[in-house]
């Protein structure tokens, strides 16, 4: 790799190290191997020609071996839509009761504010009677439906 | 505190606020989708993150009401 390209890769990696929110990306080396970077601080740049990436084990990657860097989405378009829908329901004014049906067939009625919360891709909810609680991932949600007032 | 929390965390009276713990740690709740309230605990997600903090209500020292127009 010509030195200017290597500098460019170095600068690109420096830029991607800790933006808020962090955007996951993949480093693809010239031999076709893909290394995912899922969180900020997962890699360190060593001098100008080497980086350390901590996954299951620490991997050393020569910057000269990097073919390209590609952004990776955390969610599919459908999952993003479901997340937006859930956020809209949770923040609706006035609040309207709704139910969340999961892909495993279970269903939860959300009848008050602060009964469910969502992070970037994961969430937590408590059933209406307070007896069940559940951590979930956006991909676990099948549908969100507004409940019709009795 | 429990009563104040119950009053604050309703739809009608909600204003963005910060939990200040006995330890001095601060946890901001700006929108309804950031927190879940249970009997003895509150779970708060950090902004645009999957990191969450589980707070014991008995350990909350101050409920600091934020100005909704104030930038984060």
């Amino acid at each position: 790799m010509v030195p200017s390209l290597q500098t460019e890769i170095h600068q690109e990696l420096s830029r991607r190290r800790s933006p808020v929110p962090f955007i996951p990306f993949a480093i693809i080396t010239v031999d076709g191997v893909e290394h995912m970077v899922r969180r900020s601080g997962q890699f360190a740049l060593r001098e100008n020609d080497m980086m350390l990436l901590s996954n299951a084990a620490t991997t050393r990657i020569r910057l000269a071996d990097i073919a390209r860097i590609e952004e990776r989405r955390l969610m599919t378009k459908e999952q993003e839509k479901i997340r937006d829908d859930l956020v809209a329901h949770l923040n609706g004014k006035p609040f309207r009761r709704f139910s969340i049906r999961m892909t495993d067939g279970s269903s939860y009625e959300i009848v008050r504010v602060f009964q469910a919360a969502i992070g970037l891709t994961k969430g937590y909810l408590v059933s209406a009677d307070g007896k069940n609680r559940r951590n979930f991932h956006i991909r676990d949600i099948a549908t969100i439906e507004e409940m019709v007032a009795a | 505190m429990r009563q104040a929390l119950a009053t604050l965390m309703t739809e009608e009276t909600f204003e963005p606020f910060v939990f200040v713990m006995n330890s001095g740690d601060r946890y901001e709740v700006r929108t309804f989708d950031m927190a879940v309230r249970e009997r003895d605990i509150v779970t708060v997600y950090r902004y645009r993150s999957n990191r969450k903090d589980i707070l014991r209500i008995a350990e909350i020292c101050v409920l600091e009401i934020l100005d909704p127009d104030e930038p984060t």
Side-chain angles (χ1 to χ4, degrees), chain A residues 91 95 121 124 133 135, chain B residues 11 32-33 37-38 50 52:
Chain A
N91 288 297
F95 176 81
T121 56
Y124 177 69
R133 41 192 58 76
N135 287 302
Chain B
E11 186 198 356
F32 291 112
D33 61 286
R37 178 166 60 92
E38 293 176 73
N50 278 332
K52 65 184 178 189

Side-chain angles (χ1 to χ4, degrees), chain A residues 26-42:
Chain A
I27 296 167
I28 297 124
T29 49
V30 285
D31 53 5
V33 177
E34 190 174 303
H35 304 271
M36 270 301 294
V37 182
R38 293 188 173 82
R39 60 181 191 279
S40 67
Q42 194 181 341

Side-chain angles (χ1 to χ4, degrees), chain A residues 90-91 112-119 124-126, chain B residues 5 9 14 17 19 27-38 41-46 52-53 55:
Chain A
L90 290 171
N91 288 297
R112 60 171 173 82
V113 290
F114 296 115
Q115 195 190 321
I118 182 89
Y124 177 69
L125 62 81
V126 180
Chain B
L5 188 60
M9 293 182 82
F14 177 73
F17 60 92
F19 291 114
Y27 302 91
E28 200 172 292
V29 178
R30 283 207 166 254
T31 50
F32 291 112
D33 61 286
M34 289 181 74
V36 173
R37 178 166 60 92
E38 293 176 73
I41 60 170
V42 178
T43 304
V44 180
Y45 273 94
R46 299 196 184 181
K52 65 184 178 189
D53 300 288
L55 317 179

Side-chain angles (χ1 to χ4, degrees), chain A residues 41-58:
Chain A
Q42 194 181 341
F43 68 92
L45 290 162
R46 287 283 176 267
E47 293 127 26
N48 280 330
D49 62 345
M50 181 70 72
M51 67 177 288
L52 300 176
L53 177 66
S54 57
N55 281 324
T58 301

Side-chain angles (χ1 to χ4, degrees), chain A residues 17-120:
Chain A
R17 189 146 43 182
S18 52
V20 178
F22 180 77
I23 301 162
F25 61 92
I27 296 167
I28 297 124
T29 49
V30 285
D31 53 5
V33 177
E34 190 174 303
H35 304 271
M36 270 301 294
V37 182
R38 293 188 173 82
R39 60 181 191 279
S40 67
Q42 194 181 341
F43 68 92
L45 290 162
R46 287 283 176 267
E47 293 127 26
N48 280 330
D49 62 345
M50 181 70 72
M51 67 177 288
L52 300 176
L53 177 66
S54 57
N55 281 324
T58 301
T59 312
R60 295 167 71 87
I61 303 172
R62 288 175 60 222
L63 297 192
D65 292 338
I66 295 175
R68 60 186 192 279
I69 295 168
E70 287 177 4
E71 272 185 22
R72 288 283 189 265
R73 302 180 78 87
L74 280 176
M75 292 176 276
T76 63
K77 290 269 183 209
E78 290 73 23
Q79 288 169 352
E80 277 177 10
K81 191 175 171 305
I82 283 184
R83 187 187 187 283
D84 291 346
D85 198 16
L86 180 56
V87 169
H89 273 87
L90 290 171
N91 288 297
K93 285 188 179 174
F95 176 81
R96 292 176 194 278
R97 298 167 166 220
F98 65 98
S99 66
I100 302 175
R101 195 159 55 77
M102 301 294 184
T103 49
D104 62 8
S106 58
S107 179
Y108 299 87
E109 294 183 351
I110 308 298
V111 299
R112 60 171 173 82
V113 290
F114 296 115
Q115 195 190 321
I118 182 89
L120 193 56

